[in-house]
């Protein structure tokens, strides 16, 4: 883990938040490579969950919402009851519920862990903000504690402005904020984080909704594998009774085998009609769905897939980190690698080589994120690109000037082949399919 944290800072994936001022606990800043990695992960998710589907649309809701939203969702209930938090798994329980707390301690005992608890406190999980320009006339609001509710409050708007019919889903990517009392494990648990979620609306039917639930559960697991996470480092885990939200009909996590234990990277929740019913109750607006063909009216049930962009980025990095002798390689799937290609002139002091290499670099940049390097020798440049996961390196040498071809070196096999300059674009496009 220390190696990952150090690589992230040294190469520009992740820096501690506002570091020159001594930082701010639980916040992180993504550098040039981290920003690309996150962008690529989000793009792959959006492609898989929205663009490639006929039954899913995307939205982008506001971070600030009417505070009543959080009453309806139950987020502000914890303000009144003192809670304790398990220091191992960060679950919170009402401090007065001794039996639940004992049961949770037993759960850890089974895993040969000794649970310990924070002092009992009134937790405000939501980050409070003041809106308004005049002192004393400001309204309290919250930064959203989850992006989920931005979808549900727009259920009717989406229905009325599209031609969607149940079953259908609404996807969203965006930031959420939580007052974590124990942030930690690098970017894994932070106060500010980015989520990627699908809310899939289905008919209230036990069998059909469970069929949908299984479909999404398996699709999300397959997504992590398709982007290169080793299958042995992924598993499903069903929520135990004391973890299960009272409204949940089923809840499983996809977990990753991190250096700090098996950790949740995505939650798959069958939420029943909880969200829409609560919003109907608290807003006084009708949140039902009407099926024109069967003339049925009902509040849909919701299947949710809820993943963290930061967690995914961290787990992709950890999983890709490979040490081969003194070579460090990030074996990231090319689709999410920050740079797809790096271009070098064999020698930096030969203007003809530099000129041709630079032309190739500029051409490829129109279609891919490409790195340029002319420092040191070729070996050092390979080493530097391997460490940030660049899948291919292109070297322009004296033969290139004569024959119009270049050496393409593969990060994982270290094999080299000669490719015609005017075929490079097709070559990489093919590899990235
Ligand atoms: Zn625990």
């Amino acid at each position: 883990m220390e190696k990952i944290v150090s690589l992230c800072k040294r190469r520009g994936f992740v820096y501690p938040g506002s570091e020159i001022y001594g930082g701010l606990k639980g916040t992180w800043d993504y550098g040039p490579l981290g920003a690309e990695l996150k962008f690529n992960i989000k793009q792959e998710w959006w492609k898989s969950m929205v663009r490639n589907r006929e039954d899913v649309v995307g939205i982008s809701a506001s971070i600030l919402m009417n505070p009543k939203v959080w009453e309806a969702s139950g987020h502000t209930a914890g303000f009144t009851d003192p809670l304790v938090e398990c220091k191992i798994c960060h679950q919170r329980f009402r401090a007065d519920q001794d039996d639940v707390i004992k049961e949770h301690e037993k759960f850890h005992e089974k895993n040969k862990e000794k649970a310990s608890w924070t002092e009992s406190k009134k937790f405000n999980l939501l980050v409070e903000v003041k809106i308004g320009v005049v002192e004393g006339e400001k309204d309290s609001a919250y930064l959203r504690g989850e992006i989920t509710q931005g979808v549900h409050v727009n259920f009717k708007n989406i229905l009325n402005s599209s031609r969607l019919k149940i079953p259908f889903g609404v996807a969203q990517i965006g930031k959420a904020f939580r007052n974590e009392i124990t942030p930690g494990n690098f970017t894994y648990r932070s106060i500010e984080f980015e989520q990627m979620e699908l809310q899939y609306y289905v008919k209230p039917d036990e069998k059909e909704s469970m069929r949908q639930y299984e479909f999404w559960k398996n699709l999300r697991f397959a997504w992590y594998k398709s982007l290169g996470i080793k299958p042995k480092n992924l598993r499903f885990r069903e929520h135990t009774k004391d973890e299960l939200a009272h409204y949940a009909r089923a809840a499983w996590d996809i977990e990753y085998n991190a250096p700090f234990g098996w950790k949740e990277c995505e939650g798959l929740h069958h939420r029943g009609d909880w969200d829409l019913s609560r919003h109907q109750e608290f807003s006084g607006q009708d949140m039902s769905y009407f099926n024109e063909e069967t003339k049925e009216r009902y509040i849909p049930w919701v299947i949710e897939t809820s993943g963290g962009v930061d967690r995914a980025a961290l787990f992709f990095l950890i999983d890709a980190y490979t040490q081969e002798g003194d070579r460090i390689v990030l074996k990231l799937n090319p689709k999410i690698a920050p740079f797809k290609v790096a271009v070098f002139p064999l020698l930096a002091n030969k203007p003809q080589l530099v000129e041709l290499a630079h032309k190739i670099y500029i051409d490829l940049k129109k279609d891919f994120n490409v790195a340029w390097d002319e420092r040191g020798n070729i070996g050092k440049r390979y080493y530097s690109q391997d460490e940030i996961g660049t899948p291919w390196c292109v070297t322009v040498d004296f033969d290139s000037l004569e024959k119009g071809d270049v050496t393409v070196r593969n990060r994982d096999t270290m094999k080299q082949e000669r490719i015609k300059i005017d075929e490079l674009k097709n070559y990489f496009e093919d590899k990235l399919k």
Side-chain angles (χ1 to χ4, degrees), residues 117-265:
W117 302 91
T118 61
E119 272 175 55
S120 128
K121 273 183 226 160
K122 285 188 182 174
F123 286 115
N124 186 349
L125 186 69
L126 297 174
V127 176
E128 198 175 340
V129 288
K130 300 279 182 195
I131 302 172
V133 285
V134 183
E135 192 61 42
E137 288 178 23
K138 289 178 182 167
D139 284 326
S140 269
Y142 304 100
L143 300 178
R144 61 184 172 190
E146 60 181 24
I147 63 172
T148 318
Q149 301 310 327
V151 171
H152 296 309
V153 299
N154 281 299
F155 176 68
K156 280 284 179 170
N157 279 336
I158 294 163
L159 263 188
N160 295 337
S161 58
S162 67
R163 292 187 306 172
L164 290 162
K165 282 184 186 152
I166 276 182
F168 70 88
V170 181
Q172 184 176 209
I173 298 176
K175 291 227 174 176
F177 303 80
R178 277 179 210 168
N179 275 323
E180 297 286 357
I181 20 172
T182 50
N185 288 325
F186 195 29
T187 55
Y188 179 75
R189 184 173 295 276
S190 12
I191 291 179
E192 176 176 343
F193 51 95
E194 201 162 12
Q195 298 183 301
M196 38 190 186
E197 289 192 346
L198 172 76
Q199 308 296 319
Y200 198 78
Y201 297 103
V202 298
K203 195 181 161 180
D205 175 276
E206 201 65 52
K207 209 170 148 201
E208 170 60 10
S209 66
M210 280 315 291
R211 192 188 66 78
Q212 289 286 0
Y213 181 79
E214 287 302 320
F215 170 81
W216 288 105
K217 188 175 150 210
N218 293 322
L219 185 119
R220 292 304 305 144
F221 196 86
W223 183 82
Y224 288 97
K225 283 201 290 184
S226 76
L227 287 176
I229 299 263
K230 296 176 194 88
K232 69 172 166 77
N233 289 336
L234 280 177
R235 72 176 186 193
F236 281 122
R237 187 181 69 82
E238 188 173 16
H239 281 206
T240 58
K241 274 207 185 94
D242 64 292
E243 291 174 275
L244 211 58
H246 63 89
Y247 53 81
R249 291 174 167 263
W252 290 72
D253 286 342
I254 297 172
E255 291 190 329
Y256 180 75
N257 186 15
F260 43 91
W262 283 94
K263 294 289 167 188
E264 178 193 343
C265 63

Side-chain angles (χ1 to χ4, degrees), residues 46-62:
W46 197 263
K47 252 193 251 169
S48 151
M49 301 297 276
V50 185
R51 296 272 164 85
N52 290 355
R53 301 198 58 91
E54 294 180 59
D55 56 347
V56 178
V57 292
I59 69 159
S60 176
S62 176

